[in-house]
Amino acid sequence: MRTIKLLIVDDEWMISDSLRSMEEWKERNIEVVGTASSGREALQWVEQGDLDMILTDIHMPDMSGLELLQRLYETKPGISVILISGYEEFTYACTALRYQAKGYVTKPIDTDELFSIVDSLLDTETKKGEESGDAESPKTYHEAIVERAITYMKTNLDKPLSLKRTAEEVHLTPHYFGQVFKAVTGETFVNYLTGLRMEKACLLLKNPELKQYEICESIGYPDTKYFAKVFTKCFGMPPREYRREYINKSRQAKDLTQF
């Protein structure tokens, strides 16, 4: 996934600095490349390099956020613009729609509302990448994050996995990662991890040469009694009985093929 480049535009430096320092940008693979205090200064940033997204206040000296939006609509339509305003005015909303602003947030800024808009933009971008034939583009940004997490989990089942460690692997905070994981999979991280471990346990139990403690070590359970308890809860029978049933069924199938 490529890094999204964001410019924050606001004439109040405290607001710009506060927005810039949010950890939520890094969680979404967004790089805040800088801040500008006016629309004209923002245009200088646009001329200097490639920007993907601009978060701009409306009320600024020299050139307002709405004027900036119009200029970008005419010259750089590929840049997504989110507007910030201390007022909810119908004329602002109309102008925002006319020049295809991607979102409109009022002050004081509700971060949940802001990042809901940002997430929607990220999902739209990755879907466009998929439709254009880029085989590496996932369906959505969140699905890509979870796919990476699950791959990491599957290849490290023998280790003491945790939500915190997996979140670090995909560069998200544990709280945000937990929310994203459940939204995409429909399950909590712990339940999904348990399912992966039990699935592998079933596969390993089919090998009569493996001892139970070896199977436990292979799926990250140092305690054989705890493993047996979890397995029984999942499948309604202890691991030894599961293995016995599998062996008996295999023998019966083998006997049938001999007739």
Side-chain angles (χ1 to χ4, degrees):
M1 284 179 291
R2 72 184 187 88
T3 300
I4 302 298
K5 295 182 179 181
L6 166 71
L7 176 71
I8 296 172
V9 189
D10 199 305
D11 60 321
E12 297 183 55
W13 70 268
M14 289 184 67
I15 293 178
S16 293
D17 194 55
S18 176
L19 288 169
R20 182 175 191 168
S21 62
M22 287 181 173
E23 288 296 320
E24 286 88 344
W25 301 122
K26 292 180 182 178
E27 292 176 350
R28 291 159 172 80
N29 205 32
I30 296 174
E31 177 191 358
V32 181
V33 297
T35 61
S37 59
S38 71
R40 292 195 186 282
E41 188 180 346
L43 287 177
Q44 292 175 5
W45 275 93
V46 171
E47 292 170 1
Q48 290 172 8
D50 294 329
L51 293 175
D52 300 294
M53 192 182 300
I54 290 178
L55 177 61
T56 179
D57 189 21
I58 288 180
H59 291 281
M60 295 181 295
D62 198 15
M63 177 184 283
S64 72
L66 292 176
E67 291 175 298
L68 172 62
L69 173 65
Q70 182 178 350
R71 289 283 294 275
L72 293 172
Y73 174 79
E74 295 167 350
T75 61
K76 295 284 185 178
I79 297 178
S80 299
V81 180
I82 301 172
L83 296 171
I84 304 172
S85 175
Y87 309 93
E88 286 191 53
E89 291 193 15
F90 181 71
T91 54
Y92 293 165
C94 288
T95 303
L97 286 171
R98 185 184 309 132
Y99 296 113
Q100 297 184 9
K102 303 303 181 184
Y104 188 101
V105 183
T106 56
K107 294 180 180 178
I109 297 171
D110 183 331
T111 55
D112 288 338
E113 181 183 2
L114 171 61
F115 286 104
S116 174
I117 295 170
V118 171
D119 288 344
S120 177
L121 289 175
L122 292 173
D123 287 349
T124 298
E125 178 174 320
T126 50
K127 283 179 179 177
K128 284 181 179 178
E130 184 182 52
E131 290 169 1
S132 66
D134 184 353
E136 294 183 0
S137 293
K139 284 187 176 180
T140 70
Y141 172 77
H142 287 157
E143 287 172 347
I145 291 290
V146 172
E147 184 179 331
R148 284 169 53 200
I150 291 174
T151 298
Y152 172 76
M153 292 158 68
K154 286 181 176 179
T155 55
N156 291 277
L157 285 178
D158 59 328
K159 297 179 176 62
L161 290 170
S162 66
L163 184 145
K164 183 176 183 295
R165 178 68 193 89
T166 309
E168 290 173 355
E169 186 67 22
V170 295
H171 310 296
L172 297 183
T173 60
H175 178 70
Y176 181 61
F177 170 66
Q179 290 181 324
V180 169
F181 193 92
K182 187 171 183 179
V184 172
T185 66
E187 296 184 60
T188 64
F189 173 84
V190 172
N191 286 347
Y192 197 94
L193 175 60
T194 299
L196 290 178
R197 282 176 163 157
M198 292 302 102
E199 182 181 340
K200 186 171 182 181
C202 288
L203 181 64
L204 295 175
L205 282 166
K206 293 175 182 178
N207 182 350
E209 302 299 322
L210 289 176
K211 300 186 182 301
Q212 187 163 305
Y213 78 87
E214 293 175 318
I215 293 173
C216 289
E217 290 176 355
S218 297
I219 60 173
Y221 283 104
D223 187 340
T224 56
K225 290 183 178 179
Y226 180 68
F227 161 67
K229 181 180 178 180
V230 175
F231 190 94
T232 302
K233 184 177 179 181
C234 288
F235 300 105
M237 65 179 75
R240 294 182 188 281
E241 186 177 338
Y242 179 90
R243 170 176 274 174
R244 192 181 304 115
E245 280 199 6
Y246 172 76
I247 292 173
N248 289 338
K249 287 179 180 178
S250 297
R251 285 173 179 170
Q252 291 172 6
K254 186 176 181 181
D255 291 340
L256 287 173
T257 58
Q258 292 177 350
F259 290 100

